[in-house]
Each structure stands twice: as C-alpha cells, then as structure tokens.
Amino acid sequence: MAAEIVNPRSDSGTESAPEEPFDPAFALHRGGKMAIQATVPIRDKDDLSLAYTPGVAKVCTAIAEQPELVHDYTWKSQVVAVVTDGTAVLGLGDIGPEASLPVMEGKAILFKQFGGVDAVPIALATTDVDEIVETVVRLAPSFGGVNLEDISAPRCFEIERKLQERLDIPVFHDDQHGTAVVTLAALRNAAKLTGRGLGELRAVISGAGAAGVAIAKFLLEAGIGDVAVADRKGIVSADREDLTPVKRELAEITNRAGQSGSLETALAGADVFIGVSGGTVPEPAVASMAPGAFVFAMANPNPEVHPDVAHRYAAVVATGRSDYPNQINNVLAFPGIFAGALQVRASRITEGMKIAAANALADVVGDALAADYVIPSPFDERVAPAVTAAVAAAARAEGVARR
C-alpha cells in the first residue's frame, strides 16, 4: 500500500486526519532521483539541424557503414543498463519490478556519482530466465555494459551465464561479484594487518545464495587456504543429497577439510566468518573461532554477529552498515569496475579484472591500515580512479580490451 506523506483537507471543508510526520525519504524520492540531461546545446535552428535532422543522418550512415563508430558518436560506451526483475531487492525480497525502481534509480546515480558512468534503470515484468535473457539481448545495442541487480538465486547464475555467452559487452551481477571484490579487498588487508597470507586462512561463509557462492569461488581463485559454505541445513558438503546443481558444484570445490554438520561446527577453529545470510550466529560459536579471527557480518540492517559481540573475540570486524567501521559496500567496486571496462571497451569482465579491482581497493588504505580501517570509505575520492585504472590495465593484459 502506498504511504501518504500529507493528508490534505477534503473538498467538503471538513477536517482530515492529522498530517503524517515529515519523512525525508519520501520527500527525496518524490518525482524520482534522476533525469536525462543533454550534453550539447540546442539554441537555434542550426543547433537543431546538427543534433537532429538533417545532420544526424550523416552520423547514422557512418555507423551503418562502420558499426564500431557507434562507440565514438553515441553514448553507448558510457552507459550501463541496470536490469532487475524485482525478485531479491535489498532486504525486501520479491517485491516486483515497480517497487524495485527506487533501488535501481539509486544504483544508477551511484554509478554516476562514484564512477562517472551513466546508467539506466530497467525493471522487467517477467521472472522467466529465457525471457529476461532475450529481452536484455535485444536491448544490448543501446548499452556498453549490463549490471544485473537484485535477481534471486539460483536464476541469477543462469541469467548471467547465458548473457555472457551471447553478448560481447560486460555483464556483471553486482550482488555476486561486487560483494566478492570488496570482501576480498578487506580480507587481504585484515590478513596483512595480522601478519598472515590468504593461503593461511580458513573461512566459513553463512549463506549459499548469490553473494555466498560468488564470494566462495572468488576467495578460492585468490588463493585462500580453505572455505566452507553453510546454508539453512548446514555445511554444503558432498555427502548431502538435497543440493541444487549450484550447491553441488560448490561442494566439489569448497570444504577441503571435509567437514559436515552445522555452521557452528564449521566455525570451530575457523579464521574468518563471512555472513551474507541474515540470522544470528550464537556467541559461543564466535568464541570458538581461532585467535585473531576476522568477523565480516554483512547482513543489513542486523548483522549476523553484533559488532559488540564480535569485538570480544575477533581482531578485525566488518559489517554491511555505514554506522560501523569497515563497511563492506558494493559501491566501492562496481562504479570503478564498469568505468575501467568501458574505458577500454572490454568484451567482458574477467576474474583477473575483479582481482585487480580488489587489490587496488585494498591498496588505497595504504599505511593507514588499522583494525578499524581495512577498507576505505565510499567517499574516499581515490577509490574509483584506482579501481578504474587497475581494471583497465587488467583488461588489456588479459586480451579483452578493444582499445
């Protein structure tokens, strides 16, 4: 049901109900949070004839003859489609495409504010995998990249894979990879702070959805010693018979220690806890972790482990909230990753480009590294340029750059 901010008097002149308290969130969102703005003036008929007909025909003809010119004479290489079906929106779940639009607008303005990248929210009225894929493929000529957003697992994995197979522009599911990149950056610095390498760490991830699966795979790619993933039924292990295809694949590459049982079982002696599931981890389970452990409890608004509890046992604590130190925030990653990919007209975003982004993000912290500062603030102006440059360089090194 739509919320009313103001209850005006009725036409009959009778008193209405008292006015609702002013809500700044509704006030800010009224009319939407973004607009299209021209980059060229149209002051007279000469400007009009250049920006539109007849001048535009020359540019169209040139692009028809040399399709690659679309990158030079349109905004294609500067714009990303932010695509959702509204099935996994923030902590709200399946609220539908219309209700997802405020979040997608928010994502678009973050692209612009933090990466200088234009983005267009696209909320689709379908949850069918093939329909989503076909729709995005048909929209793709207008965009330099596709950011998939708030699409529920396990469909998000299939949608991303099919789009990557069919398109020659970057396709990136931020709920998976943006979270993984920022997590790795924070983990690298936490390990550095405590004099350890990634290869010495055993991590436990609570949550086997989009973020949990992506983080597990990415940490293994980066060289972590071991990682186990737990869902509602316990550790994702090869001896379970209730696994989805995605979790079965995960069981084959994770949990080298061969553990089975509950999340609490996995946490005993673990070096790292990464929470992307919600719920609450009992304090005794946190206390059972190895000395000098790291607790990254990223559920919003309520972390899986409250920071006050985590600090009793952990050397480094991170959350997904902005009111605590070490916020694991995707805005640290996706604007720079797309800016770097678009800058070199990359055909895709590789694992090497994501690792380069994580390393660059970690390096921004530099000599200021401390237990309450293993990851920079989203408002640190060094972040986006550092990530952009690192991703562009990695794209060239991996042969996916086209300029």
Side-chain angles (χ1 to χ4, degrees), residues 111-199:
F111 264 110
K112 188 65 173 180
Q113 176 72 26
F114 293 101
V117 174
D118 289 302
V120 177
I122 298 175
L124 301 179
T126 178
T127 60
D128 181 83
V129 168
D130 290 331
E131 287 184 359
I132 291 172
V133 170
E134 291 299 328
T135 301
V136 175
V137 167
R138 283 162 173 73
L139 290 170
S142 297
F143 297 98
V146 175
N147 182 88
L148 300 173
E149 190 75 19
D150 293 349
I151 298 173
S152 62
R155 296 175 311 112
C156 59
F157 303 115
E158 187 178 3
I159 289 168
E160 183 185 50
R161 177 182 57 79
K162 288 186 173 183
L163 286 173
Q164 288 173 338
E165 290 172 352
R166 294 185 59 180
L167 298 178
D168 66 346
I169 57 176
V171 177
F172 184 85
H173 184 208
D174 185 50
D175 299 321
Q176 294 183 59
H177 310 300
T179 307
V181 165
V182 182
T183 300
L184 175 59
L187 189 57
R188 280 198 185 282
N189 275 342
K192 180 180 178 181
L193 181 69
T194 56
R196 288 176 283 180
L198 283 179

Side-chain angles (χ1 to χ4, degrees), residues 66-371:
Q66 299 181 60
E68 67 275 10
L69 292 179
V70 69
H71 299 284
D72 298 314
Y73 295 110
T74 73
W75 76 335
K76 178 180 172 72
S77 284
Q78 306 170 67
V79 65
V80 170
V82 180
V83 178
T84 190
D85 62 1
T87 55
V89 181
L90 295 178
L92 303 174
D94 186 355
I95 60 174
E98 289 86 359
S100 76
L101 271 175
V103 178
M104 299 310 115
E105 287 184 4
K107 195 79 172 191
I109 64 175
L110 294 180
F111 264 110
K112 188 65 173 180
Q113 176 72 26
F114 293 101
V117 174
D118 289 302
V120 177
I122 298 175
L124 301 179
T126 178
T127 60
D128 181 83
V129 168
D130 290 331
E131 287 184 359
I132 291 172
V133 170
E134 291 299 328
T135 301
V136 175
V137 167
R138 283 162 173 73
L139 290 170
S142 297
F143 297 98
V146 175
N147 182 88
L148 300 173
E149 190 75 19
D150 293 349
I151 298 173
S152 62
R155 296 175 311 112
C156 59
F157 303 115
E158 187 178 3
I159 289 168
E160 183 185 50
R161 177 182 57 79
K162 288 186 173 183
L163 286 173
Q164 288 173 338
E165 290 172 352
R166 294 185 59 180
L167 298 178
D168 66 346
I169 57 176
V171 177
F172 184 85
H173 184 208
D174 185 50
D175 299 321
Q176 294 183 59
H177 310 300
T179 307
V181 165
V182 182
T183 300
L184 175 59
L187 189 57
R188 280 198 185 282
N189 275 342
K192 180 180 178 181
L193 181 69
T194 56
R196 288 176 283 180
L198 283 179
E200 303 173 56
L201 303 177
R202 179 170 72 84
V204 176
I205 298 173
S206 174
V213 170
I215 291 169
K217 291 181 176 180
F218 196 50
L219 293 184
L220 289 170
E221 182 76 21
I224 198 167
D226 194 12
V227 58
V229 181
D231 62 11
R232 291 184 181 88
K233 297 182 179 179
I235 300 169
V236 175
S237 57
D239 60 351
R240 281 178 49 180
E241 298 181 355
D242 60 343
L243 300 180
T244 65
V246 170
K247 292 180 182 178
R248 196 174 304 119
E249 177 190 356
L250 195 63
E252 293 173 357
I253 61 174
T254 61
N255 191 25
R256 294 165 183 160
Q259 293 181 308
S260 59
S262 66
L263 170 69
E264 290 81 359
T265 299
L267 279 177
D271 302 292
V272 185
F273 168 75
I274 297 170
V276 284
S277 66
T280 301
V281 178
E283 184 170 348
V286 182
S288 75
M289 295 178 69
F294 313 142
V295 172
F296 291 5
M298 299 188 285
N300 265 315
N302 300 310
E304 294 88 349
V305 182
H306 192 280
D308 291 345
V309 174
H311 278 297
R312 293 172 193 158
Y313 310 102
V316 176
V317 177
T319 73
R321 290 174 48 153
S322 60
D323 53 346
Y324 289 104
N326 297 325
Q327 184 190 19
I328 306 297
N329 191 329
N330 289 15
V331 77
L332 289 163
F334 69 82
I337 289 173
F338 267 100
L342 294 177
Q343 185 180 97
V344 298
R345 296 180 189 166
S347 58
R348 58 193 177 95
I349 294 173
T350 66
E351 292 299 298
M353 291 161 71
K354 291 185 288 184
I355 287 176
N359 292 342
L361 185 54
D363 288 346
V364 169
V365 171
D367 295 338
L369 180 63

Side-chain angles (χ1 to χ4, degrees), residues 1-81:
M1 181 181 293
E4 291 288 335
I5 301 174
V6 177
N7 292 310
R9 294 174 183 268
S10 68
D11 291 339
S12 64
T14 59
E15 291 286 338
S16 67
E19 289 188 355
E20 294 289 337
F22 174 77
D23 188 327
F26 280 94
L28 182 142
H29 283 78
R30 185 172 292 281
K33 300 192 293 287
M34 57 185 296
I36 299 295
Q37 181 175 339
T39 60
V40 297
I42 301 181
R43 298 159 299 197
D44 51 37
K45 65 181 183 63
D46 292 333
D47 288 343
L48 182 59
S49 68
L50 287 174
Y52 200 54
T53 185
V56 73
K58 298 178 183 178
V59 181
C60 293
T61 301
I63 294 171
E65 294 173 353
Q66 299 181 60
E68 67 275 10
L69 292 179
V70 69
H71 299 284
D72 298 314
Y73 295 110
T74 73
W75 76 335
K76 178 180 172 72
S77 284
Q78 306 170 67
V79 65
V80 170

